[in-house]
Amino acid sequence: MIKALYPGSFDPVTMGHMDIIRRASSIFDLLYVGVAANSNKKPAFDAGERVDFLHAAVEGIENVQVISFDRLLVDVARELGTQVIVKGLRAVSDYEYELQMAHINYKLAPDIETVFLAASTRYSYLSSSLVKEVAGLGGCVKDLVPPVVHDDIVRQLSRPHR
Amino acid sequence: MIKALYPGSFDPVTMGHMDIIRRASSIFDLLYVGVAANSNKKPAFDAGERVDFLHAAVEGIENVQVISFDRLLVDVARELGTQVIVKGLRAVSDYEYELQMAHINYKLAPDIETVFLAASTRYSYLSSSLVKEVAGLGGCVKDLVPPVVHDDIVRQLSRPHR
Amino acid sequence: MIKALYPGSFDPVTMGHMDIIRRASSIFDLLYVGVAANSNKKPAFDAGERVDFLHAAVEGIENVQVISFDRLLVDVARELGTQVIVKGLRAVSDYEYELQMAHINYKLAPDIETVFLAASTRYSYLSSSLVKEVAGLGGCVKDLVPPVVHDDIVRQLSRPHR
Amino acid sequence: MIKALYPGSFDPVTMGHMDIIRRASSIFDLLYVGVAANSNKKPAFDAGERVDFLHAAVEGIENVQVISFDRLLVDVARELGTQVIVKGLRAVSDYEYELQMAHINYKLAPDIETVFLAASTRYSYLSSSLVKEVAGLGGCVKDLVPPVVHDDIVRQLSRPHR
Amino acid sequence: MIKALYPGSFDPVTMGHMDIIRRASSIFDLLYVGVAANSNKKPAFDAGERVDFLHAAVEGIENVQVISFDRLLVDVARELGTQVIVKGLRAVSDYEYELQMAHINYKLAPDIETVFLAASTRYSYLSSSLVKEVAGLGGCVKDLVPPVVHDDIVRQLSRPHR
Amino acid sequence: MIKALYPGSFDPVTMGHMDIIRRASSIFDLLYVGVAANSNKKPAFDAGERVDFLHAAVEGIENVQVISFDRLLVDVARELGTQVIVKGLRAVSDYEYELQMAHINYKLAPDIETVFLAASTRYSYLSSSLVKEVAGLGGCVKDLVPPVVHDDIVRQLSRPHR
């Protein structure tokens, strides 16, 4: 049984994340989606909201579990017993950052492998930042985030003074 | 049981390929290493030699099987029953080409996923072309190819008129 | 009246080319599609075939004309009276090559501007080479080339000994 | 009549921006230069100053108008009746970001096209950030910003505590 | 006698920096390591600490001197009489930024040359940010920073509220 | 005394090469320009012609010597007693290839360092291939190659059947 961990900020979850979740869950026996609770950048949504959005979005995909963490990624992976870390790749700049992360994680824990999935072409331009920027200016993000959480995301991003 | 296929020219197999084979075989239950027999570029070694080198190099890794093919990659994957295609990534230019291939394969066969493994830093610069170029000029390729096939590779690459 | 020239090998025309043609023809008053007759690389289709495919594919788009040329691009642009050269951009490696070409053309003819259009995401992976490779191995290229020329392209690419 | 919109922060305007303005205004019938008033990053110059600098710099180019905006770019383009958004491209990292923006704008408003112009080689390294960094340390930015606004820009950037 | 200057934030010094220092000091007659005291980004270590770490780390390399500076880089180079600025290159994104800096420095001082050394493959993923992130989460950075300053760096990075 | 070697195909020498030669010769005490006699790609000019062009072009730069070689680069460097290999960098794709070469050379001869100089912005788009393509189509290459060899280069490139 091969278990995998898909970590990220998910601030908020996008259809690009859902594409990776769906595909990774079809490859591996069990997929943990891990929300990095305390990232350096000030998030738009707190960790609890981000986990709730994911819970709602993955409902019905049986072999997916959502967790949150605020520790070293490889320590989390070891504790969960996941041999594999899954990352999505979009642009070249993504690739370089993710490569750096994969190398340091390999150095810290050579028994855990990072595997990359390429973002589907239709989501190749999509990021959480983009969703926040477009929704913050009143643009339509209907196809960019999971339908079940769309209204909550938009409501919060269009709050004044955020 | 998750079966994966690692395709390539392997002209000839390098320590970079062996690194991917070793790591992919530790993730997946069964790993096919697939030698693309008729690639466009004129190979330095014929398909039989390339398969023989790989057979020798993977001896002792239990869940690895070497095959050769001259058809559409996704057709081979389907026939073998592999849900996963494995590719190694080194530089950014690799990444773009492999992304293009992953997208066309996804279009041709959406049920087969391509996953990428990042080359270990110590092999990040290594390619079959480099081995051929260095050995052809009389340079030492001892750490660049599997020890068991080193002498055969060097002997052939230093033949005159090749 | 702004006239533009969209040059390329079109060996053969793909849906990615058609996407650029359709969008460029909606921006500019008149769009010439220019087939580079004698490129260095040995083409799979001769210049006449490539022009014929384009003629069939652009039928119905009123402000598009297909020509072929075997001279310096900026000389052709000057003779046609086009102030603008149009190029499509896909991956980063494309971008670097096209930038180099734009700079040399600007040096040779500073009165002619090169403008770039980004390939639509759904065609971001598509190239003439890919079409030739997939069709040559018997794969389906139905969505990759204009329907009106699909059968002709496939028939020729699957000819033995090509 | 083809109208185009060249948006940016212009914080402050550089000779690189002027190069794009000059070239885009020679292609299109009317060019709006749009100052994004409220960008996320804290600007060094407020929107009024940035617009004033541009007004001074484009004086004498007849078909250019300077505006400022604080809404979704495609909404501004629609209201102005511009079918075309113009962006300048320098390095590869620029390219990836601009591609992402072009794709989201295409999704939000498929009737508006983004066209890219490559920065002239002599300005390929130039950015507003660089101007601010060099001038802030007392370096000479004479060739980097439009002569007519040079003194004002330098005076403000060398103010203590900025 | 060829003198060179290797500038950076060194926040904190890593084994990647030491690799460049060792190699540059073997090429040039005298190597200054220059700590940029006041960079825009809020550093984790103040300039005095960063200089102290470097002093300890380069002890025993005879032709290396550590300085700190808070002025335009080319002015510092001129004052020290260094004809050469040395920069290390890792990923492609590094390369583009460093190219931009090399071009502006060439414009400001054409008599001073920037030369680049490629990071050794084993340190290709290593950065000061990574050290801070990993140590801040309690991960092991033993091979990532010079042994002589390891304990001091870790002690400070694991302080709460930093 | 620091000696350096600047290797290449120089098929033919361009103003971009001359820029690197001039700048490298101002840094190092002695600069060898090394013409790779037998490269894989079929050259347009034979090794003797390429050396002759360089001899003519570097006349008057005192500390530069032109040689040709057909062996492993690091063996040549060792024999000449050069501690340093100099390479010019233009685009990102250059960078990746040159990085690969620097790493293999470091592995073969860790006592020899590769240093990179960034192409000046005005030559950033220039390559020998571009010169051949433009001149072959009758375009003007006056500013692209050293004046002293311009006529010879053009005469040969415009020969029919080349």
Side-chain angles (χ1 to χ4, degrees):
Chain A
M1 173 161 164
I2 306 177
K3 297 192 280 185
L5 169 60
Y6 175 38
S9 297
F10 303 102
D11 183 41
V13 59
T14 69
M15 289 306 283
H17 298 133
M18 293 309 298
D19 169 55
I20 299 292
I21 290 172
R22 189 183 50 73
R23 291 158 55 202
S25 69
S26 80
I27 300 177
F28 299 108
D29 296 303
L30 176 59
L31 181 73
Y32 292 100
V33 179
V35 176
N38 301 319
S39 91
N40 287 343
K41 347 168 209 169
K42 220 167 106 48
F45 298 92
D46 62 41
E49 289 174 305
R50 289 182 270 147
V51 167
D52 288 349
F53 288 156
L54 274 164
H55 267 132
V58 304
E59 195 176 319
I61 315 184
E62 277 193 24
N63 62 334
V64 172
Q65 293 186 16
V66 181
I67 60 161
S68 87
F69 68 94
D70 58 359
R71 297 160 50 212
L72 212 53
L73 181 61
V74 290
D75 290 346
V76 178
R78 276 218 179 101
E79 202 162 284
L80 294 169
T82 58
Q83 306 98 299
V84 173
I85 292 170
V86 173
K87 302 300 304 263
L89 287 178
R90 286 165 309 175
V92 165
S93 40
D94 266 16
Y95 170 55
E96 298 214 306
Y97 176 77
E98 294 300 345
L99 221 57
Q100 189 190 25
M101 287 298 128
H103 286 319
I104 183 68
N105 285 333
Y106 188 74
K107 174 149 190 54
L108 294 170
D111 50 316
I112 296 172
E113 283 292 340
T114 301
V115 308
F116 298 103
L117 294 183
S120 296
T121 51
R122 61 186 297 206
Y123 299 125
S124 62
Y125 62 87
L126 184 50
S127 68
S128 293
S129 312
L130 199 67
V131 167
K132 287 180 276 193
E133 194 174 327
V134 171
L137 290 166
C140 172
V141 296
K142 219 173 202 56
D143 298 343
L144 308 185
V145 296
V148 69
V149 295
H150 172 266
D151 291 356
D152 283 342
I153 287 175
V154 168
R155 190 176 317 115
Q156 298 201 33
L157 289 173
S158 49
R159 277 184 306 205
H161 308 303
R162 196 164 243 279
Chain B
M1 175 160 163
I2 307 176
K3 297 193 279 185
L5 169 60
Y6 174 39
S9 298
F10 303 102
D11 183 43
V13 58
T14 69
M15 289 306 283
H17 298 133
M18 293 310 298
D19 169 56
I20 299 292
I21 290 173
R22 189 184 49 72
R23 290 160 54 203
S25 69
S26 81
I27 299 177
F28 299 107
D29 296 303
L30 176 59
L31 180 73
Y32 292 100
V33 179
V35 176
N38 300 321
S39 91
N40 287 344
K41 349 169 205 167
K42 221 169 104 51
F45 298 92
D46 63 40
E49 288 173 307
R50 290 182 271 147
V51 166
D52 288 349
F53 289 157
L54 272 165
H55 267 134
V58 305
E59 192 175 323
I61 315 184
E62 278 192 24
N63 62 333
V64 172
Q65 293 186 18
V66 181
I67 61 161
S68 86
F69 68 95
D70 58 0
R71 297 159 51 211
L72 210 56
L73 182 61
V74 291
D75 289 345
V76 178
R78 276 221 179 100
E79 200 162 286
L80 294 169
T82 58
Q83 308 97 300
V84 173
I85 292 170
V86 174
K87 302 299 304 260
L89 287 178
R90 287 166 309 174
V92 164
S93 40
D94 268 14
Y95 170 54
E96 298 214 305
Y97 176 76
E98 294 300 345
L99 220 57
Q100 190 190 24
M101 287 298 129
H103 285 319
I104 184 66
N105 286 332
Y106 187 75
K107 175 150 189 53
L108 293 170
D111 50 316
I112 296 173
E113 283 291 339
T114 302
V115 309
F116 299 103
L117 294 182
S120 296
T121 52
R122 60 185 300 204
Y123 299 124
S124 61
Y125 62 87
L126 184 50
S127 68
S128 294
S129 313
L130 198 68
V131 165
K132 285 181 276 194
E133 192 174 330
V134 171
L137 290 166
C140 172
V141 295
K142 221 176 200 54
D143 298 343
L144 308 185
V145 296
V148 70
V149 295
H150 172 267
D151 290 358
D152 283 342
I153 286 174
V154 168
R155 189 176 317 114
Q156 298 201 34
L157 290 173
S158 49
R159 279 185 303 205
H161 306 303
R162 196 160 242 280
Chain C
M1 173 159 163
I2 307 175
K3 297 194 278 186
L5 170 58
Y6 174 39
S9 298
F10 303 102
D11 183 41
V13 58
T14 69
M15 289 306 282
H17 298 133
M18 292 311 296
D19 169 56
I20 300 290
I21 289 172
R22 189 183 48 73
R23 290 158 56 201
S25 69
S26 80
I27 299 178
F28 299 108
D29 297 302
L30 177 58
L31 181 73
Y32 293 100
V33 179
V35 176
N38 301 320
S39 90
N40 288 343
K41 345 168 210 167
K42 222 168 105 50
F45 298 93
D46 63 41
E49 288 173 306
R50 289 181 271 147
V51 167
D52 288 349
F53 289 157
L54 273 164
H55 266 133
V58 305
E59 195 176 319
I61 315 184
E62 279 192 24
N63 62 334
V64 172
Q65 293 186 17
V66 181
I67 61 162
S68 86
F69 69 95
D70 59 359
R71 297 158 52 212
L72 212 53
L73 181 60
V74 291
D75 290 345
V76 178
R78 276 220 179 100
E79 200 162 285
L80 294 169
T82 58
Q83 307 96 297
V84 173
I85 292 169
V86 173
K87 304 298 304 260
L89 287 179
R90 285 164 311 174
V92 164
S93 41
D94 267 13
Y95 171 54
E96 298 215 303
Y97 176 76
E98 294 301 345
L99 221 56
Q100 190 191 25
M101 286 299 128
H103 286 320
I104 183 68
N105 286 333
Y106 187 74
K107 176 152 189 50
L108 294 170
D111 51 315
I112 296 173
E113 284 292 339
T114 302
V115 309
F116 299 102
L117 295 181
S120 296
T121 50
R122 61 186 299 206
Y123 299 125
S124 62
Y125 62 86
L126 182 52
S127 69
S128 293
S129 313
L130 198 67
V131 166
K132 286 181 274 193
E133 194 173 329
V134 172
L137 289 166
C140 172
V141 296
K142 219 174 203 53
D143 299 341
L144 307 186
V145 297
V148 70
V149 296
H150 172 267
D151 291 358
D152 282 341
I153 287 174
V154 168
R155 189 177 318 115
Q156 297 202 35
L157 289 173
S158 50
R159 280 185 303 207
H161 307 304
R162 199 162 239 278
Chain D
M1 176 162 162
I2 307 175
K3 297 192 278 184
L5 169 60
Y6 174 39
S9 297
F10 303 102
D11 183 41
V13 58
T14 69
M15 289 306 284
H17 298 132
M18 293 310 298
D19 169 56
I20 299 292
I21 289 172
R22 189 183 50 71
R23 290 159 56 201
S25 68
S26 81
I27 299 178
F28 298 108
D29 297 303
L30 177 57
L31 181 73
Y32 293 100
V33 179
V35 176
N38 301 319
S39 90
N40 287 344
K41 346 168 208 167
K42 220 168 106 47
F45 298 93
D46 62 40
E49 288 174 307
R50 288 181 272 147
V51 167
D52 289 348
F53 288 157
L54 273 165
H55 266 133
V58 305
E59 194 175 319
I61 314 183
E62 278 190 24
N63 62 334
V64 172
Q65 294 186 18
V66 180
I67 61 161
S68 88
F69 67 95
D70 58 358
R71 296 158 52 213
L72 211 54
L73 182 60
V74 291
D75 289 345
V76 178
R78 277 219 180 103
E79 201 163 286
L80 294 168
T82 58
Q83 309 94 300
V84 174
I85 292 169
V86 173
K87 302 298 306 260
L89 287 179
R90 287 166 308 174
V92 164
S93 40
D94 268 14
Y95 171 55
E96 298 214 304
Y97 176 76
E98 295 300 346
L99 221 57
Q100 189 190 25
M101 287 298 128
H103 286 319
I104 183 69
N105 286 333
Y106 188 75
K107 176 152 188 52
L108 293 170
D111 51 317
I112 296 173
E113 282 293 339
T114 302
V115 308
F116 299 102
L117 295 181
S120 295
T121 52
R122 61 186 299 207
Y123 299 124
S124 62
Y125 62 86
L126 184 50
S127 69
S128 294
S129 312
L130 199 67
V131 167
K132 286 181 275 192
E133 193 174 329
V134 171
L137 290 166
C140 172
V141 296
K142 220 176 202 52
D143 298 343
L144 307 185
V145 296
V148 70
V149 295
H150 173 266
D151 292 357
D152 282 342
I153 287 174
V154 168
R155 190 176 318 116
Q156 297 200 36
L157 289 173
S158 50
R159 279 184 302 204
H161 307 305
R162 198 162 240 280
Chain E
M1 173 161 165
I2 307 176
K3 297 193 280 185
L5 170 59
Y6 174 39
S9 297
F10 302 103
D11 182 42
V13 59
T14 69
M15 289 307 282
H17 298 133
M18 293 310 297
D19 169 55
I20 299 291
I21 290 173
R22 188 183 51 71
R23 290 160 54 201
S25 68
S26 80
I27 299 177
F28 299 108
D29 297 302
L30 177 58
L31 180 73
Y32 292 100
V33 179
V35 176
N38 301 319
S39 91
N40 288 344
K41 349 168 208 168
K42 221 168 105 49
F45 298 92
D46 63 41
E49 288 174 307
R50 289 181 273 148
V51 167
D52 288 349
F53 288 156
L54 273 165
H55 267 134
V58 304
E59 196 176 316
I61 314 184
E62 277 192 25
N63 63 334
V64 173
Q65 293 186 17
V66 180
I67 61 162
S68 87
F69 68 94
D70 58 359
R71 297 159 51 211
L72 211 53
L73 181 61
V74 290
D75 290 345
V76 178
R78 275 217 179 104
E79 201 163 284
L80 294 169
T82 57
Q83 307 96 300
V84 174
I85 292 170
V86 173
K87 303 300 306 260
L89 287 179
R90 287 165 308 176
V92 164
S93 41
D94 266 16
Y95 171 55
E96 298 216 302
Y97 176 77
E98 294 300 345
L99 221 57
Q100 189 190 26
M101 288 296 129
H103 285 319
I104 183 68
N105 286 333
Y106 188 75
K107 174 148 191 56
L108 294 170
D111 50 315
I112 296 173
E113 283 293 340
T114 301
V115 308
F116 298 102
L117 295 181
S120 296
T121 50
R122 61 187 297 207
Y123 299 125
S124 63
Y125 62 86
L126 183 51
S127 69
S128 294
S129 313
L130 198 68
V131 166
K132 285 181 278 194
E133 194 173 329
V134 171
L137 291 167
C140 173
V141 295
K142 220 176 202 55
D143 297 343
L144 307 185
V145 295
V148 69
V149 295
H150 172 267
D151 292 357
D152 283 342
I153 287 174
V154 169
R155 191 176 316 115
Q156 297 200 34
L157 289 173
S158 49
R159 278 185 304 204
H161 307 304
R162 196 163 241 282
Chain F
M1 172 161 165
I2 307 175
K3 296 192 280 186
L5 169 60
Y6 174 39
S9 299
F10 304 102
D11 182 44
V13 58
T14 69
M15 289 305 284
H17 298 133
M18 293 310 297
D19 169 56
I20 299 290
I21 290 173
R22 189 183 51 71
R23 290 159 56 201
S25 69
S26 81
I27 299 177
F28 299 108
D29 296 302
L30 178 57
L31 181 72
Y32 292 100
V33 179
V35 176
N38 300 321
S39 90
N40 288 344
K41 347 168 209 170
K42 220 168 106 49
F45 299 92
D46 63 40
E49 289 173 306
R50 289 181 272 147
V51 167
D52 288 348
F53 288 157
L54 273 165
H55 266 133
V58 306
E59 194 176 319
I61 315 183
E62 278 192 24
N63 62 334
V64 172
Q65 293 185 18
V66 180
I67 62 162
S68 86
F69 68 93
D70 58 359
R71 297 158 51 210
L72 212 54
L73 181 60
V74 291
D75 290 346
V76 179
R78 276 218 179 102
E79 201 163 285
L80 294 168
T82 58
Q83 308 98 296
V84 173
I85 292 169
V86 174
K87 303 299 305 261
L89 287 179
R90 288 165 308 175
V92 164
S93 41
D94 267 14
Y95 171 54
E96 298 215 304
Y97 176 76
E98 294 300 345
L99 220 59
Q100 188 191 26
M101 287 297 129
H103 286 320
I104 183 67
N105 286 334
Y106 188 74
K107 174 149 191 54
L108 294 170
D111 50 316
I112 295 173
E113 282 292 340
T114 300
V115 308
F116 299 102
L117 294 182
S120 296
T121 51
R122 60 186 298 205
Y123 298 125
S124 62
Y125 62 86
L126 184 50
S127 69
S128 294
S129 314
L130 199 66
V131 166
K132 285 181 278 193
E133 193 174 330
V134 171
L137 289 167
C140 171
V141 296
K142 218 174 203 57
D143 298 342
L144 307 185
V145 297
V148 71
V149 296
H150 172 266
D151 291 357
D152 282 343
I153 287 174
V154 168
R155 190 175 318 117
Q156 296 201 36
L157 289 173
S158 48
R159 280 184 302 205
H161 307 305
R162 199 162 239 281

